[in-house]
Amino acid sequence: MFFKDIGKGASDFFKKDFPTTHKVEVTSKPKDVEVKVTADYAGEGAKVTVEPKYVCNDWNLEVNASVDTSNAMKVSADVRDKIAAGLKTSLEFSLAGTQQFTAGVEYKADSVTAKSDFVFPGNSKASAN
Protein backbone atom coordinates (compact mmCIF):
# COMPACT_ATOMS: atom_id res chain seq x y z
CA MET A 1 0.00 0.00 0.00
CA PHE A 2 2.85 2.38 0.75
CA PHE A 3 4.41 2.18 -2.74
CA LYS A 4 1.09 2.73 -4.53
CA ASP A 5 1.18 6.54 -4.19
CA ILE A 6 4.92 7.13 -4.28
CA GLY A 7 4.92 9.30 -7.44
CA LYS A 8 1.34 10.53 -7.34
CA GLY A 9 2.18 14.04 -6.12
CA ALA A 10 4.67 14.72 -8.90
CA SER A 11 2.44 13.09 -11.50
CA ASP A 12 -0.57 15.18 -10.48
CA PHE A 13 1.56 18.33 -10.47
CA PHE A 14 2.68 17.86 -14.10
CA LYS A 15 -0.55 16.42 -15.50
CA LYS A 16 -3.24 18.44 -13.76
CA ASP A 17 -1.61 21.78 -13.00
CA PHE A 18 0.00 22.24 -16.44
CA PRO A 19 -2.56 21.28 -19.12
CA THR A 20 -0.38 22.64 -21.92
CA THR A 21 1.70 21.11 -24.67
CA HIS A 22 5.47 21.14 -24.32
CA LYS A 23 8.00 20.70 -27.11
CA VAL A 24 11.77 20.41 -26.85
CA GLU A 25 14.02 20.26 -29.89
CA VAL A 26 17.77 19.67 -29.89
CA THR A 27 19.97 19.71 -33.00
CA SER A 28 23.58 18.61 -33.11
CA LYS A 29 26.01 18.41 -36.02
CA PRO A 30 29.11 16.34 -35.33
CA LYS A 31 31.16 16.20 -38.59
CA ASP A 32 29.00 15.08 -41.57
CA VAL A 33 25.97 13.88 -39.61
CA GLU A 34 23.23 16.16 -38.29
CA VAL A 35 21.02 14.72 -35.56
CA LYS A 36 17.74 16.31 -34.53
CA VAL A 37 15.86 15.06 -31.47
CA THR A 38 12.33 16.32 -30.84
CA ALA A 39 10.25 15.56 -27.75
CA ASP A 40 6.54 16.47 -27.63
CA TYR A 41 4.48 16.18 -24.48
CA ALA A 42 0.73 16.60 -24.71
CA GLY A 43 -1.57 15.52 -21.91
CA GLU A 44 -1.06 11.87 -21.06
CA GLY A 45 1.68 10.91 -23.47
CA ALA A 46 5.02 11.91 -24.88
CA LYS A 47 6.45 11.35 -28.34
CA VAL A 48 10.17 11.43 -29.07
CA THR A 49 11.53 11.56 -32.63
CA VAL A 50 15.17 11.08 -33.63
CA GLU A 51 16.13 12.28 -37.13
CA PRO A 52 19.71 11.73 -38.31
CA LYS A 53 20.80 13.25 -41.64
CA TYR A 54 24.01 12.40 -43.52
CA VAL A 55 25.32 14.38 -46.51
CA CYS A 56 28.17 13.15 -48.72
CA ASN A 57 29.11 15.96 -51.07
CA ASP A 58 31.48 13.76 -53.13
CA TRP A 59 28.53 11.64 -54.29
CA ASN A 60 25.80 14.32 -54.01
CA LEU A 61 24.17 11.90 -51.60
CA GLU A 62 21.78 12.73 -48.78
CA VAL A 63 20.52 10.06 -46.39
CA ASN A 64 17.70 10.88 -43.97
CA ALA A 65 16.09 8.73 -41.31
CA SER A 66 13.35 9.19 -38.74
CA VAL A 67 12.45 6.96 -35.81
CA ASP A 68 9.90 7.77 -33.14
CA THR A 69 8.31 6.25 -30.07
CA SER A 70 5.09 5.41 -31.93
CA ASN A 71 7.03 2.71 -33.85
CA ALA A 72 7.17 4.74 -37.06
CA MET A 73 10.38 4.54 -39.08
CA LYS A 74 11.39 6.16 -42.35
CA VAL A 75 14.69 5.98 -44.26
CA SER A 76 15.38 7.80 -47.52
CA ALA A 77 18.39 8.31 -49.78
CA ASP A 78 18.67 10.86 -52.61
CA VAL A 79 21.39 11.27 -55.23
CA ARG A 80 21.32 14.54 -57.15
CA ASP A 81 23.10 15.49 -60.38
CA LYS A 82 25.53 12.53 -60.26
CA ILE A 83 24.24 10.53 -63.24
CA ALA A 84 23.11 13.58 -65.24
CA ALA A 85 22.65 17.28 -64.54
CA GLY A 86 19.13 17.91 -63.21
CA LEU A 87 18.45 14.24 -62.40
CA LYS A 88 17.52 13.15 -58.89
CA THR A 89 17.11 9.48 -57.95
CA SER A 90 15.60 8.52 -54.62
CA LEU A 91 14.79 5.47 -52.52
CA GLU A 92 12.54 5.50 -49.47
CA PHE A 93 11.38 2.87 -47.01
CA SER A 94 8.76 3.61 -44.39
CA LEU A 95 7.29 1.53 -41.63
CA ALA A 96 4.38 3.15 -39.84
CA GLY A 97 1.80 0.45 -39.32
CA THR A 98 2.36 -0.83 -42.87
CA GLN A 99 5.55 -1.20 -44.89
CA GLN A 100 6.07 0.84 -48.03
CA PHE A 101 9.00 1.09 -50.45
CA THR A 102 9.26 3.94 -52.94
CA ALA A 103 11.78 4.37 -55.76
CA GLY A 104 11.69 7.60 -57.71
CA VAL A 105 13.33 9.51 -60.51
CA GLU A 106 12.92 13.24 -61.06
CA TYR A 107 14.37 15.35 -63.86
CA LYS A 108 14.35 19.14 -63.85
CA ALA A 109 15.52 21.43 -66.63
CA ASP A 110 14.80 25.08 -67.45
CA SER A 111 11.34 24.47 -68.91
CA VAL A 112 10.69 20.77 -68.18
CA THR A 113 10.00 18.78 -65.04
CA ALA A 114 9.32 15.05 -65.13
CA LYS A 115 8.83 12.76 -62.15
CA SER A 116 8.08 9.08 -61.76
CA ASP A 117 7.57 7.08 -58.56
CA PHE A 118 7.27 3.34 -58.09
CA VAL A 119 5.47 2.51 -54.83
CA PHE A 120 5.32 -1.03 -53.47
CA PRO A 121 2.77 -1.99 -52.32
CA GLY A 122 0.56 0.74 -53.63
CA ASN A 123 0.07 2.87 -56.68
CA SER A 124 2.89 4.00 -58.95
CA LYS A 125 2.60 7.40 -60.57
CA ALA A 126 4.25 9.56 -63.19
CA SER A 127 3.89 13.26 -63.92
CA ALA A 128 5.39 15.84 -66.25
CA ASN A 129 5.19 19.61 -66.47
Side-chain angles (χ1 to χ4, degrees):
M1 287 295 194
F2 174 74
F3 295 107
K4 180 180 174 185
D5 296 330
I6 198 161
K8 186 174 180 335
S11 178
D12 288 348
F13 178 74
F14 285 110
K15 291 181 181 177
K16 293 180 181 175
D17 294 341
F18 295 108
T20 60
T21 301
H22 303 283
K23 182 174 183 176
V24 177
E25 186 174 298
V26 177
T27 303
S28 176
K29 190 171 183 181
K31 295 204 178 199
D32 296 332
V33 178
E34 180 178 327
V35 179
K36 179 179 166 185
V37 179
T38 307
D40 290 317
Y41 174 76
E44 293 294 320
K47 179 181 177 184
V48 177
T49 304
V50 178
E51 298 172 310
K53 176 181 177 181
Y54 173 74
V55 176
C56 179
N57 292 323
D58 294 339
W59 286 88
N60 296 341
L61 171 69
E62 183 176 309
V63 179
N64 295 297
S66 175
V67 179
D68 65 30
T69 53
S70 65
N71 294 329
M73 179 182 73
K74 182 177 178 181
V75 178
S76 65
D78 299 328
V79 176
R80 297 175 189 268
D81 301 325
K82 191 66 178 173
I83 300 170
L87 184 67
K88 173 186 163 187
T89 56
S90 61
L91 298 172
E92 181 179 301
F93 175 75
S94 63
L95 177 63
T98 61
Q99 296 178 5
Q100 184 173 345
F101 177 76
T102 305
V105 177
E106 182 177 351
Y107 177 74
K108 287 185 180 182
D110 293 335
S111 60
V112 176
T113 300
K115 182 176 181 178
S116 178
D117 287 327
F118 171 75
V119 181
F120 179 80
N123 298 324
S124 298
K125 58 186 174 182
S127 63
N129 293 329

